[in-house]
Amino acid sequence: MHMSSPSTGTRRGDDHPTLLTGARDWLARHQTVVMAVLIGGAIVLAVIPRWTQLGAQSVWSDEQFTLSQTSGGLTRLRDRGHTEIHTPFFAMLVWLWNHIVSVGAVRARAFSALVTTLGIACVPLMLRRTPIPAPTRWLLTAAVATSGLGFVYGQEIRPYGLLWALAVALTVSHLRLEWEPRTGGPTARRQAVHLGLGVLASLTHLFGLVLAGCSLVVLVARGRMRPLRGLLFLAVVCLPEAIWIIHGRLTVPGFAAGTSWNARPDLSAVTLLLQSVFSWGVPSMTNGGFVWHTPAGPALVIVVLTVALNRYWRRSASSRGTPSPPAISAATGLALLAVLIITSSWLVSQITPLWTPRNLIVVDPVIRIALGLLVVSVPGRPAVRTLLSSALVIVLTAGLATVVSANRSPWKTDFRAAVRLAMATRHTHPEVRIAGNLDPQWAVGTTSHPDDPRTVAALTPDRYVSRLTFPSGVRLADHDTLWLMYLSPQADTDSNTQIMINTASPSQCHPIAITGILAMYCTARAK
């Protein structure tokens, strides 16, 4: 008697495959191609717009400071940066870069684009000679590449792009030590690389030191590094930042005064951090950096994570007592690292407020790589892991796509538009007065020559330009007036512009839409 075996993908007693089973079987046959397309698309989306959109946003106040600091000689660099809490390491690199490629906002931003691109590239390169399978290495690369934080900070002239890139390298280095904790030559060399990356991170930013220090604590606690060596490494990593801070506190008046506005974080700051790690849509500017307020990104990631954890716990219940797979062990170590960074920073900031969204950028690659490891280690058929990995890459890529799309329109304080409006008004109507809390610094990066006399003249007080305060200085004058005011990244532009209009004259003033700037034009009052 001839008996036909059931077709692949059908249920017993059912002639038709279910949708899930059909998708799983299709992925089993094409999983390599599917993952290659998804991961390749994610990396392309992360890299190309990073370079093509360098001039999309105006140069905002923090970038203006860096451009001004690094556009002259070494004396200017020292004098303008000696009160910063961070060492002048990043400023020196930008100064060298500017002298190689010439000064200019887009050219200077290209430095951050370069280092963040190299940060993405270091994931597959640093993991190449490890037991980590190639599909896992490329999934982790996509998880890092699709970071919205890495994208936006990779397009500004501040140390946070370099900090993010070094955080990626340190996280990958930590992963290598977690995955292969053997003693001997290879591990000793990798520990030396880890130390070198920690020193570079500490030179770049105070929170580079936080990441490096917390990483050493976790490695020692989990037996991946000997305690005495860990203590020695910690002392070396602390040295650059410690020397700089001690020097500043003892010899520099007003040292670190620029951070006096920091507030103590509450638990909502942690939620905001996670929303920014899994960014979605248009970022918002705050005094402490760029944030995302929509929960869409974390919500979609939680769905994927819930499915993965459900399958993991269902399968692991029957195999208790067996060693954890290397990926799960490494993911646990990275999860502990992320928790330690967030918890210690939050607690210390209750005494000395150091928590800002941009400082906590160091935890972004830690969380993303830990999530990728968790997904690829889900027990079961390879097609199931491919399905979950595909879902994760799609969710992360979709989030980055919304950030890239939003970046085409102004969302940072648009000093460029304000300066161009002032210049156009001065050219068309020389008799019109320009007033507000104007600053020639707004012109930095607006033109190819930051010291263009025509640009600076439109913002420098004289008989046609008045520097007044909001809202006390706002009033209707005997001549047409263009008002331009900047309050802070978090100012409510619309409501404050309306306050200006109501203070001067609702009938003779009208608003002008400029992102982040209070702008209105008032006709002369009747004489």
Coordinates of all heavy atoms in Angstrom, one line a residue, residues 71-144:
S71 N 38.0 77.4 15.2 CA 38.2 78.0 13.9 C 39.5 78.9 13.9 O 39.8 79.5 12.9 CB 37.0 78.9 13.5 OG 36.8 79.9 14.5
G72 N 40.1 79.0 15.1 CA 41.3 79.9 15.1 C 42.6 79.1 15.5 O 42.7 77.9 15.0
G73 N 43.4 79.6 16.3 CA 44.7 78.9 16.7 C 44.5 78.2 18.0 O 43.4 78.1 18.5
L74 N 45.6 77.6 18.4 CA 45.5 76.7 19.7 C 45.2 77.6 20.9 O 44.6 77.1 21.8 CB 46.8 76.0 19.8 CG 47.0 74.8 18.9 CD1 48.4 74.2 19.1 CD2 46.0 73.7 19.1
T75 N 45.7 78.9 20.9 CA 45.4 79.7 22.0 C 43.9 80.0 22.1 O 43.3 79.9 23.2 CB 46.1 81.1 21.9 OG1 47.5 80.8 21.7 CG2 45.8 82.0 23.0
R76 N 43.2 80.2 21.0 CA 41.8 80.4 21.0 C 41.1 79.1 21.5 O 40.1 79.2 22.3 CB 41.3 80.8 19.6 CG 39.8 81.0 19.4 CD 39.5 81.1 17.9 NE 38.1 81.4 17.7 CZ 37.6 82.6 17.4 NH1 38.5 83.7 17.3 NH2 36.3 82.8 17.1
L77 N 41.5 78.0 21.0 CA 40.9 76.7 21.5 C 41.0 76.5 23.0 O 40.1 76.2 23.6 CB 41.6 75.6 20.7 CG 41.1 74.2 20.9 CD1 41.3 73.3 19.7 CD2 41.8 73.5 22.1
R78 N 42.2 76.9 23.5 CA 42.4 76.7 25.0 C 41.6 77.7 25.7 O 40.9 77.3 26.7 CB 43.9 76.9 25.3 CG 44.2 76.8 26.8 CD 45.6 77.4 27.0 NE 45.5 78.9 26.8 CZ 46.6 79.6 26.5 NH1 47.8 79.1 26.5 NH2 46.5 80.9 26.3
D79 N 41.6 79.0 25.3 CA 40.9 80.0 26.1 C 39.4 79.8 26.1 O 38.7 80.1 27.1 CB 41.2 81.4 25.5 CG 42.7 81.8 25.7 OD1 43.3 81.1 26.6 OD2 43.1 82.7 25.1
R80 N 38.8 79.3 25.0 CA 37.3 79.2 24.9 C 36.8 77.9 25.5 O 35.6 77.7 25.7 CB 36.9 79.3 23.5 CG 37.2 80.7 22.9 CD 36.3 81.0 21.8 NE 36.5 82.4 21.3 CZ 35.7 83.1 20.5 NH1 34.6 82.5 20.1 NH2 36.0 84.3 20.2
G81 N 37.8 76.9 25.7 CA 37.3 75.6 26.2 C 37.8 75.2 27.6 O 37.6 74.1 28.1
H82 N 38.5 76.2 28.3 CA 39.1 75.8 29.5 C 38.1 75.6 30.7 O 38.5 75.0 31.7 CB 40.2 76.8 29.9 CG 39.7 78.1 30.4 ND1 39.1 79.0 29.5 CD2 39.6 78.7 31.6 CE1 38.7 80.1 30.1 NE2 39.0 80.0 31.4
T83 N 36.9 76.1 30.5 CA 35.9 75.9 31.6 C 35.0 74.6 31.4 O 34.2 74.3 32.2 CB 35.0 77.1 31.8 OG1 34.3 77.3 30.5 CG2 35.8 78.3 32.1
E84 N 35.2 74.0 30.2 CA 34.4 72.8 29.9 C 34.8 71.6 30.9 O 36.0 71.4 31.2 CB 34.7 72.3 28.5 CG 34.1 73.2 27.4 CD 32.6 72.9 27.2 OE1 32.4 72.0 26.3 OE2 31.7 73.5 27.8
I85 N 33.8 70.8 31.2 CA 34.1 69.7 32.1 C 34.7 68.6 31.4 O 35.3 67.7 32.0 CB 32.8 69.2 32.8 CG1 33.1 68.3 34.0 CG2 31.9 68.5 31.8 CD1 31.9 68.0 34.9
H86 N 34.6 68.6 30.1 CA 35.3 67.5 29.3 C 36.7 68.0 28.9 O 36.9 69.2 28.7 CB 34.5 67.3 28.0 CG 33.0 67.3 28.2 ND1 32.4 66.4 29.2 CD2 32.0 68.0 27.7 CE1 31.1 66.6 29.2 NE2 30.8 67.6 28.3
T87 N 37.6 67.1 28.7 CA 38.9 67.4 28.3 C 38.9 68.0 26.8 O 37.9 67.8 26.1 CB 39.8 66.2 28.2 OG1 39.5 65.3 27.1 CG2 39.7 65.3 29.5
P88 N 39.9 68.7 26.4 CA 39.9 69.3 25.1 C 40.2 68.3 23.9 O 40.5 68.7 22.8 CB 41.0 70.4 25.2 CG 41.9 69.9 26.2 CD 41.1 69.2 27.2
F89 N 40.1 67.0 24.2 CA 40.5 66.0 23.2 C 39.7 66.1 22.0 O 40.2 66.2 20.8 CB 40.3 64.6 23.9 CG 40.6 63.5 22.9 CD1 41.9 63.3 22.4 CD2 39.6 62.6 22.6 CE1 42.1 62.2 21.6 CE2 39.8 61.5 21.7 CZ 41.1 61.3 21.2
F90 N 38.3 66.2 22.1 CA 37.5 66.3 20.9 C 37.7 67.6 20.2 O 37.8 67.7 18.9 CB 36.0 66.2 21.3 CG 35.1 66.5 20.2 CD1 34.8 65.5 19.2 CD2 34.4 67.7 20.0 CE1 34.0 65.8 18.1 CE2 33.6 68.0 19.0 CZ 33.3 67.0 18.0
A91 N 37.9 68.7 20.9 CA 38.1 70.0 20.3 C 39.4 70.0 19.5 O 39.5 70.6 18.4 CB 38.2 71.1 21.3
M92 N 40.4 69.3 20.0 CA 41.7 69.2 19.3 C 41.5 68.4 18.0 O 42.1 68.8 17.0 CB 42.7 68.5 20.2 CG 43.3 69.4 21.3 SD 44.4 70.7 20.6 CE 45.6 69.7 19.7
L93 N 40.8 67.3 18.1 CA 40.5 66.6 16.8 C 39.8 67.4 15.8 O 40.2 67.3 14.6 CB 39.7 65.3 17.2 CG 40.4 64.2 18.0 CD1 39.4 63.1 18.3 CD2 41.7 63.7 17.4
V94 N 38.8 68.1 16.2 CA 38.0 69.0 15.2 C 39.0 70.1 14.7 O 38.9 70.4 13.5 CB 36.8 69.6 15.9 CG1 36.1 70.6 15.0 CG2 35.8 68.5 16.3
W95 N 39.8 70.7 15.6 CA 40.7 71.7 15.1 C 41.7 71.1 14.1 O 41.9 71.8 13.0 CB 41.5 72.2 16.3 CG 42.5 73.3 16.0 CD1 42.3 74.6 16.0 CD2 43.9 73.1 15.8 NE1 43.4 75.3 15.7 CE2 44.5 74.4 15.5 CE3 44.8 72.0 15.7 CZ2 45.8 74.6 15.2 CZ3 46.1 72.2 15.4 CH2 46.6 73.5 15.2
L96 N 42.2 69.9 14.3 CA 43.1 69.3 13.3 C 42.3 69.0 12.0 O 42.8 69.2 10.9 CB 43.6 68.0 13.8 CG 44.7 68.1 14.9 CD1 45.0 66.8 15.5 CD2 46.0 68.8 14.3
W97 N 41.0 68.5 12.2 CA 40.2 68.2 11.0 C 39.9 69.5 10.2 O 40.0 69.5 9.0 CB 38.9 67.6 11.5 CG 37.8 67.4 10.4 CD1 36.8 68.2 10.1 CD2 37.7 66.2 9.6 NE1 36.1 67.6 9.1 CE2 36.6 66.4 8.8 CE3 38.5 65.0 9.5 CZ2 36.2 65.4 7.8 CZ3 38.1 64.0 8.6 CH2 37.0 64.3 7.8
N98 N 39.6 70.6 10.9 CA 39.3 71.8 10.2 C 40.6 72.3 9.4 O 40.4 73.0 8.3 CB 38.9 72.9 11.2 CG 37.5 72.7 11.7 OD1 36.7 71.9 11.0 ND2 37.1 73.3 12.7
H99 N 41.7 72.1 9.9 CA 42.9 72.5 9.3 C 43.3 71.6 8.1 O 44.1 72.0 7.2 CB 44.1 72.6 10.2 CG 44.1 73.8 11.1 ND1 43.2 74.0 12.1 CD2 44.8 75.0 11.1 CE1 43.4 75.2 12.7 NE2 44.4 75.8 12.1
I100 N 42.7 70.4 8.1 CA 42.9 69.5 6.9 C 41.9 69.8 5.8 O 42.3 69.9 4.6 CB 42.8 68.0 7.4 CG1 44.0 67.7 8.3 CG2 42.9 67.1 6.2 CD1 43.9 66.4 9.0
V101 N 40.6 69.9 6.2 CA 39.6 70.0 5.2 C 39.0 71.4 5.0 O 38.1 71.7 4.2 CB 38.4 69.0 5.5 CG1 38.9 67.6 5.6 CG2 37.7 69.4 6.8
S102 N 39.5 72.4 5.8 CA 39.1 73.8 5.9 C 37.8 73.9 6.7 O 37.1 73.0 6.9 CB 38.8 74.4 4.5 OG 37.6 74.0 4.0
V103 N 37.7 75.2 7.2 CA 36.6 75.5 8.2 C 35.3 75.6 7.5 O 35.2 76.2 6.4 CB 36.9 76.8 9.0 CG1 35.8 77.1 9.9 CG2 38.2 76.6 9.7
G104 N 34.2 75.1 8.1 CA 32.9 75.2 7.5 C 32.0 74.3 8.3 O 32.4 73.2 8.8
A105 N 30.7 74.6 8.4 CA 29.8 73.8 9.2 C 29.6 72.4 8.7 O 29.8 71.4 9.4 CB 28.4 74.5 9.3
V106 N 29.3 72.3 7.4 CA 29.1 71.0 6.8 C 30.4 70.2 6.9 O 30.4 69.0 7.2 CB 28.6 71.1 5.4 CG1 28.6 69.7 4.7 CG2 27.2 71.7 5.4
R107 N 31.6 70.8 6.6 CA 32.8 70.1 6.6 C 33.2 69.6 8.1 O 33.7 68.5 8.3 CB 34.0 71.0 6.1 CG 33.8 71.3 4.6 CD 35.0 72.1 4.1 NE 34.8 72.6 2.8 CZ 34.4 73.8 2.4 NH1 34.0 74.7 3.4 NH2 34.3 74.2 1.2
A108 N 32.9 70.5 9.0 CA 33.1 70.1 10.4 C 32.2 68.9 10.8 O 32.6 68.0 11.6 CB 33.0 71.3 11.3
R109 N 31.0 69.0 10.4 CA 30.0 67.9 10.7 C 30.5 66.6 10.1 O 30.1 65.5 10.6 CB 28.6 68.3 10.3 CG 27.9 69.3 11.2 CD 26.6 69.7 10.6 NE 25.8 70.5 11.5 CZ 24.6 71.1 11.2 NH1 24.2 71.0 9.9 NH2 23.9 71.7 12.1
A110 N 31.2 66.7 9.0 CA 31.6 65.5 8.3 C 32.6 64.7 9.3 O 32.7 63.4 9.1 CB 32.4 65.8 7.0
F111 N 33.2 65.3 10.2 CA 34.1 64.6 11.2 C 33.2 63.6 12.0 O 33.5 62.5 12.2 CB 34.8 65.5 12.1 CG 35.6 64.8 13.1 CD1 36.8 64.2 12.8 CD2 35.2 64.8 14.4 CE1 37.6 63.6 13.8 CE2 35.9 64.2 15.4 CZ 37.1 63.6 15.1
S112 N 32.1 64.1 12.5 CA 31.2 63.3 13.3 C 30.5 62.2 12.4 O 30.4 61.1 12.9 CB 30.1 64.1 14.0 OG 30.6 65.0 14.9
A113 N 30.2 62.5 11.2 CA 29.7 61.5 10.3 C 30.7 60.4 10.1 O 30.4 59.2 10.0 CB 29.3 62.2 9.0
L114 N 32.0 60.8 9.9 CA 33.0 59.8 9.7 C 33.2 58.9 10.9 O 33.2 57.7 10.8 CB 34.3 60.5 9.4 CG 35.6 59.6 9.2 CD1 35.4 58.7 8.0 CD2 36.8 60.5 9.1
V115 N 33.3 59.5 12.1 CA 33.6 58.6 13.3 C 32.4 57.7 13.6 O 32.5 56.6 14.0 CB 34.0 59.5 14.5 CG1 35.3 60.2 14.2 CG2 32.9 60.5 14.9
T116 N 31.1 58.2 13.4 CA 30.0 57.3 13.6 C 29.9 56.2 12.6 O 29.4 55.1 12.9 CB 28.7 58.1 13.7 OG1 28.5 58.9 12.5 CG2 28.6 59.0 15.0
T117 N 30.2 56.5 11.3 CA 30.3 55.5 10.3 C 31.3 54.4 10.7 O 31.1 53.2 10.5 CB 30.6 56.1 8.9 OG1 29.6 57.1 8.6 CG2 30.6 55.0 7.9
L118 N 32.5 54.9 11.2 CA 33.5 53.9 11.6 C 33.0 53.1 12.8 O 33.4 52.0 13.0 CB 34.8 54.7 11.9 CG 35.5 55.3 10.8 CD1 36.7 56.1 11.3 CD2 36.0 54.3 9.8
G119 N 32.2 53.8 13.7 CA 31.6 53.1 14.8 C 30.8 51.9 14.4 O 30.8 50.8 15.0
I120 N 30.0 52.1 13.3 CA 29.1 51.0 12.8 C 30.0 50.0 12.2 O 29.8 48.8 12.4 CB 28.2 51.6 11.7 CG1 27.2 52.6 12.3 CG2 27.5 50.5 11.0 CD1 26.4 53.3 11.3
A121 N 31.1 50.4 11.5 CA 32.0 49.4 10.8 C 32.7 48.5 11.8 O 33.1 47.4 11.5 CB 32.9 50.1 9.9
C122 N 33.0 49.1 13.0 CA 33.8 48.3 14.0 C 33.1 47.1 14.5 O 33.7 46.2 15.0 CB 34.3 49.3 15.1 SG 33.0 49.5 16.4
V123 N 31.7 47.1 14.4 CA 31.0 45.9 14.9 C 31.4 44.6 14.2 O 31.9 43.7 14.8 CB 29.5 46.1 14.9 CG1 28.8 44.9 15.4 CG2 29.1 47.3 15.7
P124 N 31.3 44.6 12.8 CA 31.7 43.3 12.1 C 33.2 43.1 12.1 O 33.7 42.0 12.2 CB 31.1 43.5 10.7 CG 31.0 45.0 10.5 CD 30.7 45.5 11.9
L125 N 34.0 44.2 12.1 CA 35.4 44.1 12.1 C 36.0 43.5 13.4 O 36.8 42.7 13.4 CB 36.0 45.4 11.8 CG 35.8 46.0 10.4 CD1 36.4 47.4 10.2 CD2 36.4 45.0 9.3
M126 N 35.5 44.1 14.5 CA 36.0 43.6 15.8 C 35.5 42.2 16.2 O 36.1 41.5 17.0 CB 35.6 44.6 16.9 CG 36.3 45.9 16.8 SD 35.8 47.1 18.1 CE 36.5 46.3 19.6
L127 N 34.4 41.8 15.6 CA 33.8 40.5 15.9 C 34.3 39.4 14.9 O 33.8 38.2 15.0 CB 32.3 40.5 16.0 CG 31.7 41.4 17.1 CD1 30.2 41.4 17.0 CD2 32.2 40.9 18.5
R128 N 35.1 39.8 13.9 CA 35.4 38.9 12.8 C 36.1 37.6 13.3 O 35.8 36.5 12.9 CB 36.2 39.6 11.8 CG 36.6 38.9 10.5 CD 37.3 39.7 9.6 NE 38.5 40.3 10.2 CZ 39.4 41.1 9.6 NH1 39.2 41.4 8.3 NH2 40.4 41.6 10.2
R129 N 37.1 37.8 14.2 CA 37.9 36.7 14.7 C 37.4 36.2 16.1 O 38.1 36.0 17.0 CB 39.3 37.0 14.8 CG 39.9 37.4 13.4 CD 41.4 37.7 13.5 NE 42.0 38.0 12.2 CZ 43.2 38.4 12.0 NH1 44.0 38.5 13.0 NH2 43.6 38.6 10.8
T130 N 36.1 36.0 16.2 CA 35.5 35.5 17.4 C 34.6 34.3 17.0 O 34.3 34.1 15.8 CB 34.6 36.5 18.1 OG1 33.5 36.8 17.2 CG2 35.4 37.8 18.3
P131 N 34.2 33.5 18.0 CA 33.3 32.4 17.7 C 31.9 32.8 17.3 O 31.0 31.9 17.0 CB 33.3 31.5 19.0 CG 34.4 32.1 19.8 CD 34.6 33.5 19.4
I132 N 31.6 34.1 17.4 CA 30.2 34.5 17.1 C 29.9 34.3 15.6 O 30.7 34.7 14.7 CB 30.1 36.0 17.4 CG1 30.4 36.3 18.9 CG2 28.7 36.5 17.0 CD1 30.4 37.7 19.3
P133 N 28.8 33.6 15.3 CA 28.5 33.3 13.9 C 28.3 34.6 13.0 O 27.9 35.6 13.5 CB 27.2 32.5 13.9 CG 27.2 32.0 15.4 CD 27.8 33.0 16.2
A134 N 28.6 34.4 11.7 CA 28.5 35.6 10.8 C 27.1 36.2 10.8 O 27.0 37.4 10.9 CB 29.0 35.2 9.4
P135 N 26.0 35.4 10.7 CA 24.7 36.0 10.8 C 24.4 36.9 12.0 O 23.8 37.9 11.9 CB 23.7 34.8 10.7 CG 24.6 33.7 10.0 CD 25.9 33.9 10.5
T136 N 24.9 36.4 13.1 CA 24.8 37.1 14.4 C 25.6 38.5 14.3 O 25.1 39.5 14.7 CB 25.2 36.3 15.6 OG1 24.5 35.1 15.7 CG2 25.1 37.1 16.9
R137 N 26.8 38.4 13.8 CA 27.6 39.6 13.7 C 26.9 40.7 12.9 O 26.9 41.9 13.2 CB 29.0 39.3 13.1 CG 29.8 38.3 13.9 CD 31.3 38.3 13.5 NE 31.5 38.0 12.1 CZ 31.9 36.8 11.7 NH1 32.0 35.8 12.6 NH2 32.1 36.6 10.4
W138 N 26.3 40.3 11.8 CA 25.7 41.3 10.9 C 24.3 41.7 11.5 O 24.0 42.9 11.2 CB 25.5 40.7 9.5 CG 26.8 40.6 8.8 CD1 27.5 39.5 8.5 CD2 27.5 41.7 8.3 NE1 28.7 39.8 7.8 CE2 28.7 41.2 7.7 CE3 27.3 43.1 8.3 CZ2 29.7 42.0 7.1 CZ3 28.3 43.9 7.7 CH2 29.4 43.4 7.1
L139 N 23.7 40.9 12.2 CA 22.4 41.4 12.9 C 22.8 42.4 13.9 O 22.1 43.5 14.0 CB 21.7 40.2 13.6 CG 20.5 40.6 14.4 CD1 19.4 41.1 13.5 CD2 20.0 39.4 15.3
L140 N 23.9 42.2 14.7 CA 24.3 43.2 15.7 C 24.7 44.5 15.0 O 24.5 45.6 15.5 CB 25.4 42.6 16.5 CG 25.1 41.4 17.3 CD1 26.3 40.9 18.2 CD2 23.9 41.6 18.2
T141 N 25.4 44.4 13.8 CA 25.7 45.6 13.1 C 24.5 46.4 12.7 O 24.5 47.6 12.8 CB 26.5 45.2 11.8 OG1 27.7 44.4 12.2 CG2 27.0 46.4 11.0
A142 N 23.5 45.7 12.2 CA 22.2 46.4 11.8 C 21.6 47.0 13.1 O 21.0 48.1 13.0 CB 21.3 45.4 11.2
A143 N 21.6 46.3 14.2 CA 21.0 46.9 15.4 C 21.7 48.2 15.8 O 21.0 49.1 16.3 CB 21.1 45.8 16.5
V144 N 23.0 48.2 15.7 CA 23.8 49.4 16.0 C 23.5 50.5 15.0 O 23.3 51.7 15.3 CB 25.3 49.1 16.2 CG1 26.1 50.4 16.2 CG2 25.5 48.3 17.4

